[in-house]
């Protein structure tokens, strides 16, 4: 298995021969997730020397390119954004979001989900929320002046505006703890659905490659534009199940914050990037589409794992 080969090599175990072919999409997703993870907080078994392992870099590059190709082939079918010019980017983002009819996990949580389903959703979400905003932090040095200033304004909120107790990833960790789940970084990676890993791997891919800076901020815009209202529904669902407290606080924070962030992301980040670097328009829209598409695939997978018809 490729993921076993990668994990062994990350741990510094001398491995024999070249990387084996992946044993299917799940194996590939776990391998890429692990290769990315050493660029974030790392994990216990991974050696610091792994950062300089060119063999691992080559595998990462190959897996990232395959992922980008898959994501682009899904985007190729979308004609919602044909002939968009730089000035039309904020409106095109709104049109993409408006045309998104993916199944709504927030609606389900608000009205119907039971406690077990919410706990499962939180475990899956923890893979991203415990490093919330980190993949986007890589994009900062790659942006022109106006987009850079706006992104840092948004990220300042995500990182708690100077107060560690307001840092979004930390709010989520405290929420996990309050509902009886494990708050440690990466605790539920082994339970992650392939769709969860793909969603996280795409975010890292967009953050890591300068060429994809437009996709990174386009993804951010779609994410922020579909967060405020669903967050309110999640608060209502948590209240309904008697799970109010720190987890509801995390989502409550996003009702207000993301109503502001969606404007910042669509206009001040994506809009100005498109004006300053018109060749990024397509990447911005590709990133936004991909965010919505990955979320829809994740929601579909959750509903089917629960046996809930949509
Ligand atoms: Fe946040
Ligand atoms: Fe936000």
């Amino acid at each position: 298995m490729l993921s076993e080969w990668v994990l062994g090599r990350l741990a510094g175990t001398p491995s024999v021969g070249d990387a084996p072919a992946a044993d299917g999409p799940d194996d590939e997703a776990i391998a890429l997730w692990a290769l990315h993870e050493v660029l974030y907080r790392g994990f216990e078994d991974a050696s610091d020397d792994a950062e300089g392992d060119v063999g691992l870099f080559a595998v990462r590059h190959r897996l990232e390119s395959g992922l980008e190709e898959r994501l682009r082939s899904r985007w190729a079918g979308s004609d919602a954004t044909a002939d968009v010019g730089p000035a039309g980017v904020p409106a095109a983002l709104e049109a993409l979001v408006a045309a998104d009819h993916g199944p709504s996990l927030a609606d389900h949580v608000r009205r119907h989900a039971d406690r077990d389903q919410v706990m499962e959703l939180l475990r899956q979400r923890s893979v991203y929320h415990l490093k919330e905003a980190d993949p986007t932090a890589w994009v900062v040095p790659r942006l022109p002046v106006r987009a850079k200033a706006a992104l840092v304004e948004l990220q300042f909120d995500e990182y708690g505006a100077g107060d560690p107790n307001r840092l979004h990833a930390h709010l989520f960790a405290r929420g996990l703890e309050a509902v009886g789940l494990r708050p440690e970084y990466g605790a539920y990676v082994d339970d992650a659905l392939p769709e969860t890993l793909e969603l996280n791997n795409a975010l890292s891919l967009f953050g890591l490659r300068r060429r994809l800076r437009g996709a990174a901020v386009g993804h951010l815009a779609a994410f922020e534009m579909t967060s405020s209202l669903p967050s309110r529904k999640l608060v209502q669902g948590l209240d309904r199940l008697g799970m109010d407290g720190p987890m509801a606080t995390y989502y409550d924070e996003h009702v207000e914050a993301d109503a502001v962030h969606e404007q910042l992301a669509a206009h001040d980040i994506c809009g100005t990037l498109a004006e300053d670097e018109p060749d990024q328009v397509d990447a911005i829209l590709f990133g936004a589409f991909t965010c919505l598409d990955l979320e829809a695939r994740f929601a579909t997978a959750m509903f089917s794992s629960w046996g809930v018809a949509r």
Side-chain angles (χ1 to χ4, degrees):
M1 293 234 303
L2 177 62
S3 55
E4 277 170 16
W5 184 92
V6 163
L7 290 168
R9 188 132 166 178
L10 284 173
T13 312
S15 44
V16 187
D18 294 333
D23 204 6
D26 292 5
D27 184 32
E28 197 173 304
I30 293 165
L32 184 54
W33 184 85
L35 287 165
H36 282 153
E37 210 46 39
V38 288
L39 305 173
Y40 292 97
R41 303 279 302 277
F43 44 91
E44 227 172 84
D45 301 336
S47 139
D48 284 342
D49 296 336
E51 274 185 293
D53 185 329
V54 292
L56 286 174
F57 178 80
V59 173
R60 191 186 108 204
H61 198 269
R62 179 166 58 77
L63 295 179
E64 284 179 350
S65 300
L67 172 58
E68 184 183 347
E69 213 171 289
R70 283 200 303 284
L71 298 174
R72 281 196 184 277
S73 72
R74 297 180 68 88
W75 161 238
S78 168
D79 60 1
T81 52
D83 302 325
V84 173
V89 161
L93 290 169
E94 271 163 39
L96 267 176
V97 168
D100 174 46
H101 298 300
S104 170
L105 287 165
D107 277 337
H108 182 67
V109 170
R110 183 166 77 98
R111 288 196 303 238
H112 307 294
D114 61 27
R115 191 184 166 92
D116 286 349
Q117 291 173 344
V118 171
M119 296 289 260
E120 180 54 24
L121 179 61
L122 295 174
R123 280 194 286 271
Q124 296 293 328
R125 289 299 194 197
S126 73
V127 178
Y128 172 65
H129 287 320
L130 290 174
K131 63 168 186 240
E132 187 164 320
D134 289 348
T136 318
W138 278 317
V139 186
V140 174
R142 300 176 186 144
L143 294 177
V145 173
R146 291 186 295 170
K148 180 181 283 181
L151 177 56
V152 172
E153 182 182 347
L154 188 154
Q155 292 286 82
F156 186 62
D157 280 350
E158 301 289 345
Y159 287 131
D163 178 354
N165 288 316
R166 303 306 303 166
L167 191 133
H168 290 186
H170 185 59
L171 286 175
F172 194 80
R174 287 200 311 209
L176 288 174
E177 202 163 25
V179 299
L181 292 171
R182 292 170 55 195
E184 316 93 72
Y185 183 69
Y188 294 110
V189 166
D190 291 342
D191 305 323
L193 291 170
E195 288 78 6
T196 299
L197 293 174
E198 182 110 326
L199 199 149
N200 279 272
N201 289 346
L203 261 168
S204 296
L205 163 71
F206 291 167
L208 282 167
R209 293 208 180 175
R210 186 184 58 80
R211 178 173 57 77
L212 294 171
R213 61 197 179 282
V217 296
H219 185 292
L220 173 70
F223 189 91
E224 299 288 349
M225 292 165 87
T226 51
S227 171
S228 179
L229 202 59
S231 292
R232 187 187 301 283
K233 293 174 179 174
L234 290 167
V235 171
Q236 291 167 340
L238 289 166
D239 283 351
R240 175 177 64 80
L241 291 163
M243 296 167 80
D244 47 343
M247 189 48 87
T249 303
Y250 166 86
Y251 284 107
D252 208 27
E253 172 78 19
H254 286 80
V255 176
E256 300 266 317
D258 288 347
V260 177
H261 290 176
E262 69 173 80
Q263 295 300 319
L264 262 177
H267 295 270
D268 303 298
I269 303 174
C270 292
T272 66
L273 175 63
E275 283 171 16
D276 293 342
E277 298 181 0
D279 64 342
Q280 291 299 303
V281 169
D282 193 60
I284 292 168
L285 301 176
F286 163 57
F289 168 85
T290 299
C291 173
L292 301 171
D293 186 45
L294 288 166
E295 281 294 327
R297 286 154 69 191
F298 170 70
T300 302
M302 291 302 290
F303 283 121
S304 94
S305 79
W306 294 329
V308 174
R310 302 302 303 162

